[in-house]
């Protein structure tokens, strides 16, 4: 047992933290001027577009744990980026064994098309192949408009890579991750494989890490504000009503982060517990992110209710992420069924 | 990042497991308070003879010279098998590590082996009637004599005080402006303390009040520097929060296991509300384990225990309280047929768990520690 970060991982975190130091300002710029920043996406795609693909890409020495460290650090500063959703997409194709055919020079950007009208989290899905053509309607695809390649989940655990389908705009609540709907009406596939489900589990860990970053980032944001805002002649952070809310949010964020680190490690290690760990990570990270963002908003007072202050950006991301790939309740029920099942397995074995 | 045992730890875990499977046959679970005590005594003997106590202490003091991770692994294996708790737990968990880091060579040789053998049973005499969270306000006094000190004062909520012969005793040796300076830390004999058991709400007499009336302690019972006992006390509290984390996670796991059995017994496996709560509890308890491994790993890598231990302690208290309350909830009114002095299992657990957010520093104090030391907020105390 050596559950600590390596020096390389610490350096990686520092370097990503450096790139994302002005995340809050960049997010505000998107909100005000609708201008998406080029950086740090360009650097991230150039340098790390195959992050977390140890098993598939001989150039990459990194695993899922490394990938989530980057995702977490970006999210902590709510750094606008398209890299996180790209990472989620390539995790899916890696689990499906499609990597060698994929271009990783940073020019190609991938997006993940999963959900359908009324589909259950993790499927089944209606989208399918007819002959060698793809048919189906996918919803809420993050950064789908800018992607060069779509990773589309089909029925029967199939994954295909294809060129973008027909894009339709939707109203966006979360400004950090604009989504679109995409319809495929006979698109040709580039590659196909089984293994969609295994891939989506990896993508869920990426999303959980992002939510953990949002949670911790919201706590830090509010703590900074609580140190500069004065009322009754003192810093508001000196009031326990304020401080203890943030301590609660910190504990929630740490809990979620422990679970997410473990889930990523368990997947990297092919552990049997990985599945339960992923559900735990996603459930807790969703809960923590929404809780922490709401606490941050509260600590900002009236300012927190305005579009000028950053808490709502955290809150939007938290809500959007928490409902994607299964909400808190859905994942909790999965965990419960899993432990009840292994309990009855043990009992049956004893008989 | 690696959460699995090294080959060496895995081997150690296996040996521990085998040994436990063998000896635990003679230690069935008991519920009577008096039986629990004699069993705890026998269990300590058994552990000591097997060489499973003081795993991380150096061999010179009766330990095995291994790491905190070994201790953690052993505790985990114990609790998975519902092993009893050794009678000298406070000595093993608190007195030992504190003496190891602040004691003189002579004190280490004198006290440490007796902690393991169970010859000395320790209690922690910190809290007083007027001094709980604000420990630095303590009023028990030690007045110097030619060859030691005379102590006067009163301690309260002292766990194991009724079975202890030794006490980690904080007393004021100097009055002055600074509240922290002027406190001294004594390794005191309790033979002349007047110890009166206090009954807890679950019917157990686990803690006590202790009246200390002009009791003499010799010179060599001072631990650390005179008037600088605060630093030593902080070590005890830090150890209490961090090294205890591994026990915490397994205690939480035990109650969750019980809940799982209850859910099956009551045929609630398809109740969405029950599933939701179970999923949440399972996540929390797993997170405590993972957090404890992360903590023990950074200790093993040479980092000092930080305020993060407060986060684990909070999580643990919350989880165990919520799980045990939920047991009552699904048990229904029948679980409330529980006599004040003879509580049924579930009520006994539930009521005991209420203390988890008070003992070892209250939830409010842990939150303030996190706010100040992790989030860098101004002092609110
Ligand atoms: C089961 C059990 C076993 C124990 N065993 C031992 C033992 O072996 N040895 C020992 O020395 N002690 C022991 N204690 C005592 C324990 O450490 C104290 O109860 C605890 O530190 C709180 O002190 P208090 O009871 O005086 O409460 P108080 O300090 O009076 O607190 C009362 C309430 O006020 C809150 N409060 C106090 N100060 C603040 C503040 N600054 N900010 C916000 N809220 C505040 C507290 O959180 C609490 O809710 C034990 C307690 C229990 C319940």
């Amino acid at each position: 047992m050596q559950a600590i970060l390596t020096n390389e991982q610490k350096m990686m975190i520092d370097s990503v933290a450096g790139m994302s130091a002005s995340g809050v300002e960049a997010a505000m710029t998107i909100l005000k001027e609708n201008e998406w920043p080029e950086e740090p996406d360009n650097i991230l795609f150039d340098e790390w577009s195959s992050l977390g693909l140890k098993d598939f890409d001989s150039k990459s020495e990194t695993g899922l744990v490394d990938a989530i460290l980057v995702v977490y650090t970006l999210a902590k500063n709510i750094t606008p980026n398209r890299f996180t959703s790209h990472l989620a997409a390539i995790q899916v194709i890696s689990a499906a064994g499609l990597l060698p055919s994929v271009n990783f020079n940073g020019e190609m950007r991938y997006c993940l098309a999963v959900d359908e009208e009324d589909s259950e989290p993790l499927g089944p899905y209606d989208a399918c192949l007819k002959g060698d053509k793809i048919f189906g309607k996918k919803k809420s695809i993050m950064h789908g408009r800018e992607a060069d390649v779509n990773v589309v989940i089909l029925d029967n655990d199939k994954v295909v890579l294809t060129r973008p389908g027909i894009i339709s705009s939707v109203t966006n609540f979360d400004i950090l991750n604009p989504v679109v709907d995409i319809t495929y009406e006979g698109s040709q596939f580039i590659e196909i494989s089984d293994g969609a489900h295994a891939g989506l589990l990896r993508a869920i860990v990426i999303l959980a890490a992002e939510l953990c970053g949002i949670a911790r980032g919201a706590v830090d944001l509010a703590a900074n504000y609580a140190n500069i805002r004065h009322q009754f002649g003192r810093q508001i952070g000196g009031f326990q009503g304020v401080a203890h809310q943030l301590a609660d949010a910190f504990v929630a964020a740490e809990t979620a982060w422990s679970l997410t680190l473990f889930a990523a490690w368990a997947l990297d290690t092919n552990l049997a517990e990985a599945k339960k760990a992923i559900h735990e990570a996603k459930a807790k990270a969703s809960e923590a992110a929404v809780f922490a963002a709401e606490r941050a908003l509260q600590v900002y007072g009236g300012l927190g209710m305005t579009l000028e202050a950053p808490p709502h950006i955290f809150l939007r991301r938290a809500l959007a992420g928490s409902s994607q790939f299964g909400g808190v309740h859905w994942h909790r029920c999965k965990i419960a069924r899993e432990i009840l099942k292994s309990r009855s397995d043990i009992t049956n074995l004893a008989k | 990042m690696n959460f699995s045992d090294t080959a060496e730890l895995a081997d150690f875990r296996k040996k521990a497991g085998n040994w436990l499977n063998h000896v635990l046959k003679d230690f069935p679970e008991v519920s009577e308070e008096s039986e629990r005590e004699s069993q705890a005594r026998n269990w300590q003997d058994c552990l000591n003879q097997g060489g499973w106590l003081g795993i991380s202490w150096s061999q010179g003091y009766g330990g095995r010279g291994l790491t905190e991770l070994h201790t953690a692994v052993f505790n985990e294996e114990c609790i998975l098998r519902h092993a009893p708790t050794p009678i000298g737990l406070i000595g093993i968990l608190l007195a030992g590590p504190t003496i190891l880091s602040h004691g003189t060579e002579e004190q280490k040789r004198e006290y440490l082996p007796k902690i393991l053998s169970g010859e000395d049973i320790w209690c922690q005499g910190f809290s007083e009637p007027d001094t709980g969270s604000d420990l630095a306000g303590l009023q028990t006094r030690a007045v110097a004599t030619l060859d030691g000190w005379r102590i006067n004062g009163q301690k309260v909520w002292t766990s194991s005080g009724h079975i202890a012969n030794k006490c980690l005793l904080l007393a004021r040796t100097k009055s002055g402006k600074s509240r922290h300076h002027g406190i001294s830390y004594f390794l005191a004999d309790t033979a002349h303390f007047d110890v009166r058991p206090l009954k807890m709400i679950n019917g157990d007499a686990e803690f006590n009040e202790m009246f200390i009336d002009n009791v003499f302690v010799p010179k060599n019972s001072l631990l650390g520097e005179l008037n600088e006992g605060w630093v030593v006390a902080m070590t005890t509290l830090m150890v209490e929060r961090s090294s205890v984390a591994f026990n915490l996670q397994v205690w939480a796991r035990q109650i969750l296991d019980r809940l799982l059995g209850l859910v099956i017994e009551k045929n609630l496996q398809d109740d969405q509300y029950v599933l939701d709560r179970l999923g949440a509890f399972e996540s929390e308890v797993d997170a405590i384990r993972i957090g404890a491994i992360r903590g023990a790993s950074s200790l093993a890598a040479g980092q000092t225990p930080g305020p993060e231990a407060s986060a684990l302690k909070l999580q643990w208290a919350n989880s165990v309280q919520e799980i045990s309350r939920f047991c009552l909830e699904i048990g229904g009114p029948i679980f409330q047929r529980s006599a004040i002095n003879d509580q049924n299992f579930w009520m006994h657990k539930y009521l005991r768990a209420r203390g988890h957010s008070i003992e070892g520093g209250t939830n409010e104090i842990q939150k303030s520690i996190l706010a100040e030391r992790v989030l860098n907020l101004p002092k609110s105390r």
Side-chain angles (χ1 to χ4, degrees):
Chain A
M1 269 189 277
Q2 264 225 312
I4 47 175
L5 299 179
T6 62
N7 284 334
E8 290 80 48
Q9 287 170 331
K10 285 184 192 148
M11 274 156 57
M12 188 168 74
I13 290 174
D14 285 347
S15 110
V16 177
M19 290 176 208
S20 54
S22 55
V24 175
E25 290 95 279
M28 293 317 262
T29 312
I30 297 176
L31 189 69
K32 285 188 189 131
E33 287 149 40
N34 201 13
E35 221 170 84
W36 192 271
E38 297 277 309
E39 299 298 347
D41 268 340
N42 284 339
I43 314 180
L44 291 166
F45 276 101
D46 271 354
E47 294 188 5
W48 278 324
S49 60
S50 60
L51 194 66
L53 306 180
K54 185 164 53 190
D55 295 345
F56 298 92
D57 182 9
S58 54
K59 278 185 301 184
S60 176
E61 286 293 305
T62 56
L64 198 54
V65 171
D66 302 280
I68 67 166
L69 293 176
V70 170
V71 168
Y72 175 86
T73 311
L74 287 169
K76 217 167 112 185
N77 294 300
I78 46 170
T79 314
N81 74 88
R82 295 182 175 128
F83 182 67
T84 299
S85 64
H86 164 87
L87 270 189
I90 63 167
Q91 299 309 314
V92 173
I93 51 179
S94 87
L98 287 174
L99 277 192
S101 58
V102 174
N103 176 336
F104 274 127
N105 60 10
E107 283 162 24
M108 291 291 195
R109 299 185 178 194
Y110 288 72
C111 72
L112 187 54
V114 184
D115 288 337
E116 298 172 0
E117 185 92 48
D118 298 329
S119 62
E120 278 279 296
L122 298 185
Y125 304 103
D126 289 334
C128 60
L129 275 186
K130 289 182 184 145
D132 59 354
K133 297 202 159 63
I134 305 163
F135 290 88
K137 279 186 172 175
K138 293 291 187 182
K139 297 233 156 261
S140 307
I141 295 139
M142 279 198 265
H143 303 289
R145 196 179 289 286
E146 297 79 18
D148 305 293
V149 181
N150 294 7
V151 179
V152 188
I153 309 295
L154 303 182
D155 58 355
N156 298 322
D157 203 35
K158 292 267 185 287
V159 187
V160 289
L161 303 190
T162 179
R163 298 281 166 217
I166 303 154
I167 295 175
S168 42
S169 302
V170 298
T171 316
N172 269 301
F173 169 76
D174 167 19
I175 61 160
L176 290 179
N177 280 299
V179 297
V180 292
D181 292 347
I182 304 186
T183 306
Y184 303 92
E185 288 178 355
S187 321
Q188 205 95 29
F189 70 80
I190 311 171
E191 295 281 349
I192 184 161
S193 173
D194 291 332
H197 190 81
L200 286 177
L201 292 179
R202 285 180 83 88
I204 289 178
V205 178
I206 298 280
L207 178 57
E210 191 185 1
L211 289 165
C212 289
I214 291 289
R216 184 58 205 274
V219 173
D220 289 350
L221 177 87
N224 284 338
Y225 183 73
N227 267 329
I228 51 171
R229 171 74 178 170
H230 285 71
Q231 283 297 287
F232 299 95
R234 54 198 275 218
Q235 293 149 288
I236 58 168
F239 299 116
Q240 288 188 346
V242 170
H244 288 189
Q245 288 188 53
L246 295 182
D248 284 337
F250 168 80
V251 172
E254 270 299 288
T255 308
W257 184 228
S258 278
L259 290 169
T260 306
L261 277 171
F262 183 80
W265 172 81
L267 268 176
D268 269 346
T269 323
N270 291 322
L271 236 61
E273 295 110 287
K275 200 155 164 253
K276 188 184 82 171
I278 293 160
H279 292 303
E280 292 183 344
K282 177 60 171 63
K284 194 67 207 179
S286 300
E287 203 189 344
V290 174
F291 178 69
E294 288 180 351
R295 293 305 97 219
L297 196 149
Q298 178 69 17
V299 168
Y300 264 73
L303 190 57
M305 282 303 289
T306 67
L307 289 170
E308 315 305 310
H312 75 101
I313 301 178
F314 285 82
L315 186 56
R316 285 166 198 274
R317 180 69 206 113
L319 278 174
S322 71
S323 66
Q324 201 192 358
F325 296 158
V328 175
H329 175 68
W330 188 83
H331 284 283
R332 283 182 182 168
C333 290
K334 287 277 177 194
I335 301 160
R337 292 203 188 278
E338 191 98 359
I339 56 176
L340 284 165
K341 182 171 169 296
S342 54
R343 175 75 160 235
S344 68
D345 287 351
I346 294 170
T347 325
N348 290 340
L349 217 67
K351 285 181 197 151
Chain B
M1 191 62 54
N2 188 350
F3 291 94
S4 58
D5 295 345
T6 56
E8 198 258 319
L9 267 182
D11 184 53
F12 177 82
R13 190 188 288 277
K14 206 164 139 212
K15 287 195 180 119
N18 287 340
W19 183 82
L20 286 166
N21 288 342
H22 181 67
V23 297
L24 276 171
K25 288 190 215 99
D26 300 331
F27 291 89
E29 261 184 273
V30 292
S31 56
E32 281 298 308
E33 204 180 348
S34 57
E35 283 181 62
R36 281 208 303 267
E37 193 182 311
S38 70
Q39 199 182 53
R41 228 173 253 286
N42 296 338
W43 180 237
Q44 171 134 8
D45 274 349
C46 182
L47 286 171
N48 190 41
Q49 276 158 24
W52 297 102
L53 286 179
I55 291 170
S56 66
W57 301 5
S58 84
Q59 289 173 339
Y61 310 123
R64 283 178 69 168
L66 299 171
T67 68
E68 285 305 328
L69 285 169
H70 289 86
T71 312
V73 163
F74 185 73
N75 287 345
E76 206 169 50
E77 293 302 304
C78 279
I79 307 195
L80 285 173
R81 291 172 175 77
H82 296 251
T85 317
I87 186 112
L89 193 68
I90 296 179
I92 297 163
L93 287 183
L94 305 185
T98 309
I99 294 171
L100 270 168
S101 57
H102 296 278
T104 61
E105 190 54 35
E106 191 195 339
Q107 285 171 327
K108 291 179 192 170
R109 292 199 182 283
E110 157 86 14
Y111 294 110
L112 295 174
K114 289 186 194 160
I115 289 176
L116 301 183
S117 69
E119 201 176 329
D120 283 347
I121 304 293
W122 287 82
C123 64
Q124 179 189 13
F126 284 21
S127 305
E128 299 179 1
D130 290 333
T131 299
S133 302
D134 188 13
L135 188 57
L138 60 92
Q139 284 158 20
T140 294
R141 287 195 171 274
V143 178
T145 63
L146 273 182
D147 43 1
W149 291 267
R150 290 230 160 247
I151 302 189
N152 279 287
Q154 186 186 342
K155 296 289 172 180
V156 74
W157 321 128
T158 322
S159 303
S160 300
H162 55 300
I163 51 168
N165 63 324
K166 299 278 175 196
C167 179
L168 302 171
L169 186 73
L170 291 181
R172 194 160 285 289
T173 35
K174 190 176 155 194
S175 43
K177 280 212 186 94
S178 164
R179 290 172 357 122
H180 294 135
H181 175 74
I183 292 172
S184 297
Y185 197 120
F186 297 99
L187 304 171
D189 229 276
T190 63
H192 299 290
F193 292 7
D194 178 7
V195 179
R196 301 179 197 168
L198 295 167
K199 212 159 228 189
M200 300 198 303
I201 53 173
N202 68 348
D204 284 356
E206 198 183 295
F207 57 25
N208 306 269
E209 47 186 350
M210 303 197 298
F211 299 86
I212 308 168
D213 184 15
N214 227 18
V215 175
F216 174 76
V217 296
K219 270 234 151 65
N220 61 5
S221 64
L222 179 71
L223 183 64
E225 300 292 317
L226 184 67
N227 297 326
E228 304 299 338
W230 185 253
V231 187
V232 188
M234 287 304 105
T235 302
T236 309
L237 294 184
M238 199 63 110
V239 172
E240 185 166 12
R241 281 161 208 162
S242 63
S243 81
V244 178
F246 254 96
N247 296 305
L248 299 186
Q249 63 102 354
V250 202
W251 289 334
R253 170 63 59 198
Q254 281 179 345
I255 181 82
L256 183 53
D257 269 354
R258 299 278 187 173
L259 171 60
L260 213 57
L262 198 58
V263 167
I264 292 167
E265 188 190 313
K266 302 246 167 207
N267 221 346
L268 292 167
Q269 294 98 312
D270 288 315
D271 183 312
Q272 290 285 311
Y273 170 61
V274 170
L275 290 176
D276 185 279
R277 300 311 299 143
L278 263 188
F281 295 149
E282 177 75 13
S283 311
E284 299 271 344
V285 173
D286 276 343
I288 298 171
R289 171 165 196 266
I290 297 163
I293 295 178
R294 289 174 69 198
S297 300
S298 51
L299 281 187
Q303 279 148 321
T304 46
E308 291 78 11
S310 292
L312 276 185
K313 204 256 155 180
L314 271 168
Q315 246 179 292
W316 167 74
N318 286 336
S319 302
V320 177
Q321 290 183 339
E322 289 201 13
I323 296 169
S324 56
R325 188 197 307 111
F326 191 66
C327 290
L328 291 189
E329 191 180 331
I330 65 177
I334 203 85
F335 276 19
Q336 293 182 17
R337 296 199 179 163
S338 193
I340 299 254
N341 282 315
D342 183 17
Q343 307 282 352
N344 70 41
F345 175 84
W346 305 101
M347 195 50 92
H348 185 268
K349 287 276 178 220
Y350 165 76
L351 290 173
R352 178 61 186 86
R354 298 317 305 165
H356 295 341
S357 49
I358 301 168
E359 60 199 310
T362 67
N363 275 13
E364 290 72 26
I365 295 302
Q366 309 295 349
K367 287 180 195 180
S368 290
I369 290 174
L370 289 173
E372 289 159 24
R373 305 207 198 134
V374 181
L375 305 179
N376 294 317
L377 293 173
K379 252 196 168 347
S380 64
R381 288 178 283 165

